[in-house]
Amino acid sequence: MREINYNNYFWQDDQVRLRALREEDWENHYYNRFDSPARRLLECAVELPPTNAEAKKFTEAFSDFSLDRGRIMFTIENMDGENVGGVNLNSIDERNGTFSIGIQIDRDHRGKGYGTRAIRILLKYAFFERRLNKFNDCVLEGNEPSAAMMRKLGCVEEGVRRQVIYTDGKYRDLLLFGLTKNEFIDKEGLA
C-alpha cells in the first residue's frame, strides 16, 4: 500500500487527525465502556456491562458515515497514529442549521487538548462545508473538563436546564452551550 501524504488533508491539524472508524476500533470502544464515571458524564446514565458483540456492532454500524443513524462518527488519532478517542457530529437539523457534537477521549489521553482540537476540526466542517450556523451542546452538571472545553472553543453558556437528568441517585442540571458560525469565525480569526 502506498504511503499517504497528509500535507493537504482537511481532517487534521498539527496534533490530531480524524478518520473513519475501522473494524479494529471495536476494542477501543469496548475498553472505554469500562470507564464508568466518564460514560456517566457522556451518556448521563450507568450503562449495562460492555460486551465484545456490542462493541463490534457499534463500530460496524458507524463505519460508513451514513446519516441514517443520526450521527457521523470519527476516530481521533494523534500524529503517531494512535487511537485517542472518538468524536461525532449529531443532531443535525439542515432546515434550521443547527447541530451538536459528541466526544470521548480515552482515559490515557485526556488533558492533552485532543478533544478541543478534534471539535475545532468538526466545527470547521459543519460551518464551512455543511453550511450549518449554530452549534448547540449541553454538559452534565459537574463535568468541569467538558464545560471548560466548551468555553475554550468560544461557546457561550446560554442557560441551565434544571434537574433534568437523574443519575447517581440525584437530579442534575444540564448546562447549555452554543456557538454561532460568526462567533467561531471571530474566535478563530478566520474573517
Side-chain angles (χ1 to χ4, degrees), residues 89-154:
L89 190 63
N90 63 69
S91 304
I92 300 166
D93 179 343
E94 300 281 354
R95 182 178 180 277
N96 293 303
T98 60
F99 65 98
S100 188
I101 293 174
I103 188 163
Q104 181 171 349
I105 301 298
D106 298 352
R107 181 184 347 208
D108 304 337
H109 299 285
R110 292 184 191 138
K112 299 177 183 175
Y114 294 143
T116 304
R117 291 173 170 282
I119 289 178
R120 195 172 280 126
I121 292 167
L122 271 188
L123 288 171
K124 282 182 12 187
Y125 172 70
F127 289 140
F128 299 120
E129 302 303 322
R130 298 291 300 260
R131 293 181 302 175
L132 299 172
N133 184 59
K134 175 83 184 300
F135 167 54
N136 293 309
D137 217 337
C138 59
V139 173
L140 185 65
E141 168 190 8
N143 187 350
E144 290 309 316
S146 289
M149 180 176 60
M150 290 293 121
R151 291 181 189 102
K152 185 175 183 178
L153 287 163

Side-chain angles (χ1 to χ4, degrees), residues 21-151:
L21 271 68
R22 296 183 188 142
E23 190 175 312
E24 64 267 19
D25 290 334
W26 77 267
E27 291 180 17
N28 273 59
H29 178 71
Y30 178 75
Y31 170 81
N32 281 310
R33 292 285 309 277
F34 287 92
D35 188 355
S36 294
R39 296 297 296 180
R40 183 191 301 271
L41 294 174
L42 180 66
E43 297 296 333
C44 298
V46 171
E47 300 166 311
L48 293 173
T51 67
N52 290 348
E54 179 276 330
K56 289 176 182 178
K57 185 177 177 180
F58 176 89
T59 303
E60 182 181 315
F62 288 104
S63 63
D64 65 0
F65 292 122
S66 173
L67 279 177
D68 296 350
R69 292 170 192 86
R71 53 186 159 167
I72 306 171
M73 301 288 297
F74 298 86
T75 294
I76 306 167
E77 290 183 336
N78 62 21
M79 295 319 250
D80 295 327
E82 186 177 11
N83 182 333
V84 301
V87 66
N88 68 77
L89 190 63
N90 63 69
S91 304
I92 300 166
D93 179 343
E94 300 281 354
R95 182 178 180 277
N96 293 303
T98 60
F99 65 98
S100 188
I101 293 174
I103 188 163
Q104 181 171 349
I105 301 298
D106 298 352
R107 181 184 347 208
D108 304 337
H109 299 285
R110 292 184 191 138
K112 299 177 183 175
Y114 294 143
T116 304
R117 291 173 170 282
I119 289 178
R120 195 172 280 126
I121 292 167
L122 271 188
L123 288 171
K124 282 182 12 187
Y125 172 70
F127 289 140
F128 299 120
E129 302 303 322
R130 298 291 300 260
R131 293 181 302 175
L132 299 172
N133 184 59
K134 175 83 184 300
F135 167 54
N136 293 309
D137 217 337
C138 59
V139 173
L140 185 65
E141 168 190 8
N143 187 350
E144 290 309 316
S146 289
M149 180 176 60
M150 290 293 121
R151 291 181 189 102

Side-chain angles (χ1 to χ4, degrees), residues 40 44-46 140-141 163 165-172:
R40 183 191 301 271
C44 298
V46 171
L140 185 65
E141 168 190 8
Q163 298 185 10
I165 300 296
Y166 184 79
T167 187
D168 200 20
K170 55 185 128 180
Y171 287 95
R172 296 185 183 252

